[in-house]
Amino acid sequence: MRNGGITLILLALAAMTASCDKGNGDPPPRHPDAMAVEFLAPGQIAGPYSIQVPAGSVSLTIMADGANASDMDIIKVSGPSGESFIDGGSNDLIGRNFANGYGQSAVEMTIPHGGDYDFPPGVWTFWIKHTRSREPEPKEVGIYTDVKSAPGSRLNLNLFIIASGDVSAQAEPILNEVLARFQASMGLMNITVGAVEVIYLTSDEARKHIHVNMDTDFDNNGQPDDMDALFMMSANYKKGHINIFFVDSFGFQGILGIAGGAPGPQLVQGSANSGVAINTFGGFTSLQGKNINTVANTMAHEVGHYLGLLHTSERYGDTFDPIADTPECDVNVRDKDNDGMVSADECSALDGPNIMFWSSASFSQEEVSGTQKYVVSLNPAIK
């Protein structure tokens, strides 16, 4: 999530299609492609599960989708020689990650997620836990894996526009400009944008979430219920596409965008975490000036999260990403105004210019490290 001040391609239009929402209809089977489906009550553990990683593979992705569970976790991952990569509370054996303890209904982890440890071939083993839920009943949990044979460079998109005021003909020119700038930003990560499907969400249910209520989290999964509802609307749309939902505003002033995870769930659509939401400051038809660039930059930042990148330095300057070649901005050294936080200006000589710094800046944020580029190329959404 990127907060702070508001300062911080062209796409081949033949690859871009538009449609209106497909309505509710009959929901598809929840987990048709899962390697396993479990019914887990809060506190229950499933596993061990095993997956063969052939020689020459570049990454392993593990995902558990618990529908509206409060917290699904990947609590243990062991390599071919029995070495621990994830182990319950020891969540930093391979550097900071959100495999457990983050509070997502759908949790995903791609290994490697940095450049400081080996990824050996062989049989990998993992365990899944339904850590907690508001209700005591078991939840249906789909468990997925993906082994990638080579880094990728192409990203496909589903773009969801809640069409209360943004009708297609009026929104399209501004959307094209935003997409052009977004593609330029993704190019910094060595990612090109491929197929783009634009979906205008016109149902009454969709319109309820155009101004995202950030105050209600009834299912206690660490994400506002409005975000859950939006991301679940991706259920009937193309797999292999990252979902970007454009909203008019968030309830909290200063929020520019929110990602459903870091990384977000790539191996299933329609989960409570299946997407990225972007503030359009009232809609595309009223978007102009520097805010067009802000929207595009925010898209790149939040998609970076969804592909597995964390903030290079967090707000309080005491937590950093697991990537060795991104600078760290230590609050004890850089907090010049003594407010207990690190700003982009205070970190301008370090990671303030990085596209994944925690806040926007008054200067360009276009730096991407070599390892950051490599990490996003390993994500299963990058073809």
Side-chain angles (χ1 to χ4, degrees), residues 321-339:
D321 70 15
I323 295 177
D325 64 356
T326 56
E328 297 179 355
C329 192
D330 189 333
V331 69
N332 296 312
V333 178
R334 294 287 171 171
D335 182 19
K336 303 304 182 184
D337 60 4
N338 296 312
D339 66 351

Side-chain angles (χ1 to χ4, degrees), residues 95-339:
R96 181 173 175 234
N97 63 84
F98 294 140
N100 57 75
Y102 187 52
Q104 291 178 238
S105 297
V107 61
E108 182 169 303
M109 180 68 187
T110 295
I111 295 173
H113 75 315
D116 293 340
Y117 59 96
D118 294 330
F119 176 61
V123 177
W124 286 67
T125 308
F126 64 94
W127 289 256
I128 302 296
K129 183 177 182 180
H130 177 186
T131 300
R132 61 185 173 88
S133 281
R134 188 181 182 94
E135 304 91 6
E137 294 80 11
K139 302 290 186 181
E140 180 180 335
V141 180
I143 298 168
Y144 300 77
T145 59
D146 181 85
V147 177
K148 197 163 183 177
S149 60
S153 62
R154 179 183 172 94
L155 169 68
N156 298 324
L157 300 174
N158 290 327
L159 305 182
F160 295 88
I161 299 174
I162 306 175
S164 63
D166 281 338
V167 295
S168 178
Q170 294 173 321
E172 190 170 291
I174 300 298
L175 176 61
N176 283 339
E177 186 173 354
V178 168
L179 287 173
R181 298 186 190 188
F182 169 73
Q183 180 157 304
S185 293
M186 294 308 297
L188 301 173
M189 301 185 195
N190 292 342
I191 301 299
T192 59
V193 176
V196 177
E197 182 168 350
V198 180
I199 302 105
Y200 287 84
L201 296 175
T202 58
S203 69
D204 290 341
E205 178 60 29
R207 293 169 194 256
K208 292 178 184 177
H209 310 296
I210 193 168
H211 300 284
V212 178
N213 179 352
M214 301 294 291
D215 297 325
T216 304
D217 181 19
F218 182 78
D219 59 12
N220 197 31
N221 69 346
Q223 179 175 270
D225 295 334
D226 271 9
M227 301 306 310
D228 296 349
L230 278 175
F231 293 156
M232 287 179 178
M233 290 180 187
S234 66
N236 295 320
Y237 294 92
K238 288 182 179 178
K239 293 183 180 179
H241 288 51
I242 287 183
N243 306 309
I244 299 180
F245 291 81
F246 295 102
V247 301
D248 278 12
S249 67
F250 293 101
F252 296 159
Q253 185 177 6
I255 293 181
L256 304 180
I258 297 174
Q266 316 293 344
L267 305 180
V268 66
Q269 294 284 44
S271 81
N273 299 95
S274 292
V276 165
I278 303 295
N279 188 344
T280 62
F281 309 98
F284 283 107
T285 53
S286 60
L287 196 62
Q288 58 184 330
K290 65 181 181 181
N291 283 347
I292 294 176
N293 203 48
T294 298
V295 169
N297 289 347
T298 301
M299 288 170 64
H301 178 95
E302 299 302 334
V303 168
H305 281 318
Y306 206 75
L307 295 174
L309 298 180
L310 305 185
H311 290 149
T312 52
S313 298
E314 295 290 357
R315 177 193 305 254
Y316 298 109
D318 59 355
T319 308
F320 312 100
D321 70 15
I323 295 177
D325 64 356
T326 56
E328 297 179 355
C329 192
D330 189 333
V331 69
N332 296 312
V333 178
R334 294 287 171 171
D335 182 19
K336 303 304 182 184
D337 60 4
N338 296 312
D339 66 351

